[in-house]
Amino acid sequence: MDEVAAAVADPVRRAILEMLRDDARLSAGQIAERFAISRPAVSRHLRVLRESGLVRDELVGRQRFYVLDASRLAPLTRWLAGFTRPTGWAHHLDALETEVHRTRRERRAEHPEENTA
């Protein structure tokens, strides 16, 4: 997870991940032409993403194509989710679940003879 977090910490690498999310498969040249930085710099960013497992590469002739592997983000996503509270529908559904459990508990307490089978 640390390697993935370090990889997504850089804004250029996040932009590359977004490109691959949107376009599915891009060559190194197609990625590099979208940045104002040198091709070797883009290659270094791609290497970091590849080593972290966030992208896979395949060589087709003389071109190297990159594809996103978003499954490597799952552990980081789960960890980050622990810092957020449910909002919107998730919050309301959690509250409903709590109320249902409370009501069941109260009914069992009021009618203990029904709970002995």
Side-chain angles (χ1 to χ4, degrees):
M1 180 175 71
D2 291 342
E3 194 174 36
V4 170
V8 299
D10 185 275
V12 171
R13 291 193 286 268
R14 287 194 306 270
I16 292 170
L17 292 174
E18 289 170 359
M19 283 180 216
L20 292 171
R21 177 198 61 202
D22 296 341
D23 294 331
R25 181 178 182 237
L26 293 169
S27 70
Q30 290 171 312
I31 293 168
E33 69 188 16
R34 297 183 189 187
F35 291 99
I37 59 177
S38 69
R39 285 182 182 257
V42 171
S43 291
R44 286 190 291 276
H45 286 296
L46 288 167
R47 186 185 72 232
V48 170
L49 291 170
R50 191 176 60 246
E51 289 173 354
S52 71
L54 288 168
V55 300
R56 293 185 323 270
D57 65 329
E58 57 185 65
L59 196 58
V60 178
R62 294 182 62 208
Q63 283 192 312
R64 188 172 299 272
F65 288 90
Y66 290 86
V67 178
L68 175 66
D69 183 356
S71 69
R72 295 280 293 151
L73 292 168
L76 180 60
T77 302
R78 283 192 299 272
W79 184 78
L80 289 170
F83 291 96
T84 59
R85 295 182 186 267
T87 59
W89 279 106
H91 174 70
H92 293 300
L93 291 174
D94 286 347
L96 177 61
E97 181 181 29
T98 300
E99 185 61 25
V100 167
H101 287 293
R102 186 187 63 76
T103 303
R104 285 181 182 164
R105 203 171 39 249
E106 287 175 357
R107 285 186 183 164
R108 281 194 300 268
E110 290 173 2
H111 304 286
E113 67 281 352
E114 294 175 7
N115 297 326
T116 56

